[in-house]
Amino acid sequence: MPYRRIGLFLFLLLLVALGGRSLAYAQDASYYSITGPCNLSFPGDHGPHPGYRTEWWYYTGSLHSETGDRYGFQLTFFRRQISPPGAEKSWPSPASAWRTQQLFLAHAALTDISKKRFHHGEEMSREMPGLAGAHQEAGMTSIFVKNWSLQLDETEHLLEAHADGFGFNLKLKPLKAPALHGDAGYSRKGTTPESASCYYSFTRLQTEGSVSVDGTAIPVHGTAWMDHEFS
């Protein structure tokens, strides 16, 4: 699917080095690296993992309207740490909410299959109050970049994105437990132990809500898939 390839291409641009789950970092203040079991636990591991350089929450799905029109959608939130753990110790005083180690990028796409039209857009910001961020509280993970957002807990996922000429507002309900990739979530990418990520997917998400095209909201329902990976 073209929208999935675009999202993966953006992810590859961000992915400089694979790392891992060990909570100790090297004396040269490197990023955390994953060298063994991920020991994933939910809902905690739905949330962000600062200290790991790259992380992403990736949704893609197939939808249709009551009149039979078909749509494909994609929404991805990327978190990119721009300095290793511990770098903040050298920041000047006093502390400021506007200093950050995190960069957030979001990409959205909507394929109007019936009309053979493809829409896409993106947002980007450093982590700043009101502009971008990710946190978890009382089992609820919240991620946003400007007015695009993801809210995720054990019972539902709420997606919202609006760009030039298109958008969507969707509620997704897991029909299956998370599927852990590789060895219980420890996903090897190369020959060395640290060439790995922690990786899981929701492989069947019942989806309903609306998509908008040129300002017209269209009720839709269908199924979706979600990947969450950090390294």
Side-chain angles (χ1 to χ4, degrees):
M1 301 178 190
Y3 50 87
R4 186 172 177 87
R5 289 198 296 270
I6 288 174
L8 288 172
F9 175 71
L10 287 171
F11 168 65
L12 290 172
L13 289 178
L14 288 174
L15 187 59
V16 172
L18 287 168
R21 193 70 195 266
S22 170
L23 293 183
Y25 55 90
Q27 293 181 353
D28 63 353
S30 62
Y31 298 91
Y32 297 158
S33 62
I34 297 166
T35 58
C38 289
N39 299 317
L40 294 173
S41 177
F42 305 108
D45 278 313
H46 294 324
H49 297 80
Y52 298 97
R53 193 170 193 180
T54 300
E55 183 165 19
W56 51 289
W57 297 259
Y58 193 117
Y59 290 84
T60 183
S62 178
L63 307 169
H64 56 274
S65 70
E66 295 301 326
T67 59
D69 291 329
R70 298 167 56 218
Y71 303 89
F73 83 92
Q74 175 258 322
L75 178 63
T76 309
F77 289 89
F78 298 97
R79 180 193 61 78
R80 176 73 168 178
Q81 188 149 330
I82 54 181
S83 59
E88 69 277 6
K89 296 178 182 178
S90 64
W91 292 351
S93 295
S96 170
W98 296 90
R99 297 193 188 110
T100 181
Q101 290 182 286
Q102 309 297 332
L103 176 70
F104 287 87
L105 181 147
H107 182 271
L110 181 70
T111 302
D112 186 340
I113 298 173
S114 301
K115 295 181 180 179
K116 298 182 179 180
R117 296 178 64 188
F118 178 71
H119 310 266
H120 63 91
E122 64 182 37
E123 293 285 3
M124 180 184 293
S125 176
R126 289 167 61 91
E127 183 179 35
M128 294 181 180
L131 292 180
H135 69 277
Q136 188 177 69
E137 184 176 354
M140 172 69 74
T141 294
S142 298
I143 305 165
F144 75 99
V145 182
K146 299 179 183 177
N147 64 343
W148 297 15
S149 65
L150 160 64
Q151 291 186 297
L152 160 65
D153 65 12
E154 290 294 83
T155 61
E156 65 182 13
H157 306 213
L158 304 177
L159 311 181
E160 184 172 2
H162 298 280
D164 186 22
F166 81 101
F168 42 79
N169 195 323
L170 301 171
K171 178 188 293 186
L172 294 73
K173 179 180 178 181
L175 299 181
K176 299 171 65 177
L180 307 182
H181 292 259
D183 183 4
Y186 173 57
S187 178
R188 295 284 292 267
K189 312 296 186 183
T191 57
T192 58
E194 67 273 13
S195 296
S197 69
C198 291
Y199 187 9
Y200 70 88
S201 298
F202 282 98
T203 60
R204 183 167 292 274
L205 294 159
Q206 179 178 296
T207 304
E208 62 180 19
S210 65
V211 301
S212 61
V213 179
D214 297 329
T216 300
I218 305 160
V220 292
H221 60 278
T223 58
W225 178 297
M226 178 268 206
D227 294 325
H228 181 196
E229 185 171 14
F230 58 95
S231 63

